[in-house]
Amino acid sequence: NGRSYMQLLEGQAANVEAAFATIKNDPHHRSIETVLERTVNSRSFPESAMLGLNLVSSPFERRRAIAGLVPDKAEKDIRTML
């Protein structure tokens, strides 16, 4: 619909909490939901600061496109979430 956005925050807990607080307090963001919150041993996307993807296509095409961005070494929970 051009209005939905999904973001995965990862890093040191204090940095993630600060970034999420900024997002929650920004009036441009509404209906924020936390889907998964947990501590991990390593980042799922260590090579990326931010990735973008147009999510206007069909649900099947969106899922396949998002899954294609997830590195093979990503935690199983990240893959399951898709």
Side-chain angles (χ1 to χ4, degrees), residues 2 5-6 12 17 26 33 38 40 47 61 73 79:
Y5 189 82
M6 181 178 83
Q12 296 295 321
E17 291 167 8
D26 184 331
E33 296 179 36
R38 65 186 177 88
V40 296
E47 306 297 324
E61 291 169 341
K73 64 181 181 177
R79 292 197 165 282

Side-chain angles (χ1 to χ4, degrees), residues 10-61:
E10 53 184 8
Q12 296 295 321
N15 296 342
V16 171
E17 291 167 8
F20 192 53
T22 299
I23 292 166
K24 288 192 299 188
N25 292 321
D26 184 331
H28 296 98
H29 298 95
R30 299 180 304 278
S31 303
I32 297 170
E33 296 179 36
T34 299
V35 177
L36 177 66
E37 182 177 345
R38 65 186 177 88
T39 301
V40 296
N41 294 324
S42 62
R43 292 181 54 184
S44 294
F45 298 90
E47 306 297 324
S48 303
M50 187 173 221
L51 297 171
L53 179 66
N54 184 351
L55 299 177
V56 178
S57 58
S58 75
F60 178 75
E61 291 169 341

